[in-house]
Amino acid sequence: MDEAEVIEVQVPVDPAYLAVLRTAAAGLATRLRFTLGEIEDLRIAVDEAAAMLIAGGGKGPSGGGIAPGAEMTCRFDVTEADVTVSVSVPGTGRLLGTDTIPWRVLNALTGTVSTRESESSTTITLVKNRTDGND
C-alpha cells in the first residue's frame, strides 16, 4: 500500500451507532497488523472522539442542537505505518476543553490529536502509528 487508502463511514449522530465506528476502526487496525493493545487503543479513541462530538462539549446526549437526521462522518486514511481517523459532525462549538479527562484519554491512546472547526462542522483527528517490529 504505497498511498493512503481512504475509507469513509457515515452514521446518524446517535450514540447507538458508535459500535459501527468502533468495529470499523478495529478491523482496519487488524488489517495493518497492529498489536491487540494498539487495536484496542484505536477502538477506544474513535469511540471517545465520536462520543465527545455527539455530546457537544457537555451540551447533552441528544447532540446539543444537531439537527435530527444529521450524519457523523468518520474518515479513515490508512497507510502501511498508521491510521489517521477524522470524525466530523455538523455544527460548531462542540469541543470540550483540551485540559479535560476525555482529551487526556485521546492523547494517551493515540500519537496525535487535533481539532478543526469550519463554518459548518467540527472535526477531531487522531493518528495511531504502528509500533516497530510488527512486520
Side-chain angles (χ1 to χ4, degrees), residues 50-107:
M52 287 170 56
L53 290 171
I54 290 171
K59 294 179 184 169
S62 65
I66 292 179
E71 291 192 337
M72 172 181 293
T73 300
C74 189
R75 177 185 165 121
F76 298 89
D77 291 271
V78 181
T79 69
E80 287 292 330
D82 60 38
V83 176
T84 300
V85 183
S86 298
V87 184
S88 301
V89 294
T92 60
R94 308 205 54 78
L95 297 172
L96 293 170
T98 56
D99 61 343
T100 61
I101 291 174
W103 278 111
R104 290 183 190 147
V105 169
L106 288 179
N107 280 307

Side-chain angles (χ1 to χ4, degrees), residues 5-17:
E5 183 177 0
V6 177
I7 298 94
E8 197 168 277
V9 178
Q10 290 186 313
V11 296
V13 180
D14 184 322
Y17 292 93

Side-chain angles (χ1 to χ4, degrees), residues 9 11 15-29 39-40 42-48 50-51 74 76:
V9 178
V11 296
Y17 292 93
L18 293 179
V20 173
L21 302 181
R22 288 192 305 264
T23 301
L28 291 169
I39 293 167
E40 187 65 9
L42 182 64
R43 190 183 71 74
I44 293 169
V46 168
D47 181 76
E48 188 67 34
C74 189
F76 298 89

Side-chain angles (χ1 to χ4, degrees), residues 1-5 31-32 78-80:
M1 186 181 332
D2 294 335
E3 297 179 15
E5 183 177 0
R31 184 171 170 216
L32 287 174
V78 181
T79 69
E80 287 292 330

